[in-house]
Amino acid sequence: MRIKSGMSARLFVLAIVLFLCSGCSSNAETFVTKIRAEATEKCNEGNQAACHTIVQQVSDTKVLIESTAPIEIQTPACNAGRQDACEQMAVLHGELSTWCTMGNGPACAAVKTGPWPAKWDEPALIDAAKMSCLSGQFKADSSTCQALQMM
């Protein structure tokens, strides 16, 4: 009888944990849905910054918001040979590509339409961006360094 009650207690605790986790996930999903809806509404009202906003849930408690506005500015700079712009573009492309594999439609659209630099070695540029973050060339709280922490 003792084994049976021990198993029941474990199942009960597991059920509580699963219930709590599903509640957390639901809250994060609700938050992401709300932010996405607000961004779409603001975009439809003519707010260009909102049109470039992509929201992604990365865990039960973490939501990331990224802007695709730098693509239009950094791509010409990268094509002109600016290494820092190429590094930032590679990290942004890698981040959005990952989000795309998670089913994020706006991230997939950004990855497909760009405009992205003409020629680049994305893995090498991501490694260079990591070094730029470590050396202080990019500030630790920059979107590039923050994205690298999640990749």
Side-chain angles (χ1 to χ4, degrees):
M1 193 71 149
R2 205 173 160 177
I3 293 173
K4 198 173 192 182
S5 66
M7 293 287 276
S8 296
R10 286 186 202 135
L11 289 175
F12 180 72
V13 170
L14 179 63
I16 289 174
V17 169
L18 290 175
F19 175 75
L20 291 174
C21 288
S22 69
C24 295
S25 178
S26 174
N27 289 337
E29 288 174 19
T30 301
F31 179 74
V32 168
T33 302
K34 178 183 174 191
I35 297 297
R36 285 178 180 166
E38 287 178 8
T40 301
E41 180 183 331
K42 299 274 186 215
C43 178
N44 291 337
E45 293 172 355
N47 182 326
Q48 286 303 304
C51 296
H52 292 286
T53 301
I54 298 179
V55 183
Q56 177 64 39
Q57 177 183 345
V58 292
S59 75
D60 290 343
T61 59
K62 208 172 240 185
V63 174
L64 299 177
I65 299 174
E66 185 63 81
S67 172
T68 59
I71 295 171
E72 295 160 3
I73 298 166
Q74 298 285 50
T75 295
C78 178
N79 287 335
R82 278 199 35 217
Q83 179 70 16
D84 62 328
C86 292
E87 291 173 16
Q88 292 171 5
M89 294 301 296
V91 171
L92 180 59
H93 187 266
E95 179 182 41
L96 294 176
S97 295
T98 300
W99 292 2
C100 180
T101 64
M102 297 171 150
N104 186 319
C108 292
V111 168
K112 290 176 184 169
T113 61
W116 298 101
K119 297 177 183 175
W120 61 347
D121 180 356
E122 189 172 323
L125 288 168
I126 289 174
D127 287 342
K130 289 176 185 176
M131 294 305 295
S132 294
C133 289
L134 291 173
S135 70
Q137 182 180 349
F138 295 140
K139 293 184 179 186
D141 63 349
S142 70
S143 60
T144 299
C145 296
Q146 295 292 319
L148 284 168
Q149 290 178 4
M150 300 303 296
M151 293 174 81

